[in-house]
Amino acid sequence: VQLQASGGGLVQAGDSLRLSCAASGRTFSRYVMGWFRQAPGKEREFVAAISRTGSTDYTESVKGRFTISRDNAKNAVYLQMNSLKPEDTAVYYCAQKGGFGLLGPYDYWGQGTLVTVSS
């Protein structure tokens, strides 16, 4: 399985970014997809996840600002990030897991894409 995250960059507070993650290696539609992030000096944390059927979950700090979606035809998952804040600065990782639950453990991880939000 390969997961390729992209779309990170340097933005100002209040701006938007859309992260993408392209998956290959197994039948994408059968698996839960998640986004995680790791800020400098901090542990990796859960951001959002989407089930095989489209159910979603978000960490409290991004609710109402971030939206996770998936396109099974394109083997891709997205994270639309609006109203970005400096505290959203982190390396963002996409991940994939089997089963039905949206929380871990996740089986496969992408390489990460850096999001930097300036104040």
Side-chain angles (χ1 to χ4, degrees):
V1 174
Q2 289 190 329
L3 301 173
Q4 183 72 38
S6 62
L10 172 63
V11 298
Q12 293 186 333
D15 285 350
S16 297
L17 271 179
R18 187 193 195 207
L19 304 184
S20 299
C21 176
S24 62
R26 57 184 185 179
T27 306
F28 179 78
S29 61
R30 295 180 180 176
Y31 298 95
V32 173
M33 298 298 299
W35 286 98
F36 293 76
R37 65 186 180 187
Q38 187 168 19
K42 295 187 177 181
E43 294 186 354
R44 186 170 60 195
E45 66 171 348
F46 169 81
V47 176
I50 186 165
S51 74
R52 298 179 297 173
T53 57
S55 299
T56 59
D57 192 16
Y58 300 90
T59 192
E60 192 64 34
S61 63
V62 308
K63 286 182 179 178
R65 299 189 298 123
F66 291 12
T67 302
I68 187 171
S69 61
R70 65 189 298 161
D71 185 336
N72 291 335
K74 295 183 178 180
N75 292 349
V77 63
Y78 308 99
L79 186 67
Q80 178 67 43
M81 306 186 295
N82 298 330
S83 302
L84 282 161
K85 304 176 180 180
E87 50 264 44
D88 295 318
T89 294
V91 177
Y92 284 72
Y93 300 88
C94 62
Q96 186 182 78
K97 68 179 294 289
F100 296 94
L102 296 182
L103 300 181
Y106 279 70
D107 305 312
Y108 294 96
W109 295 82
Q111 87 290 357
T113 185
L114 177 62
V115 173
T116 304
V117 185
S118 64
S119 58

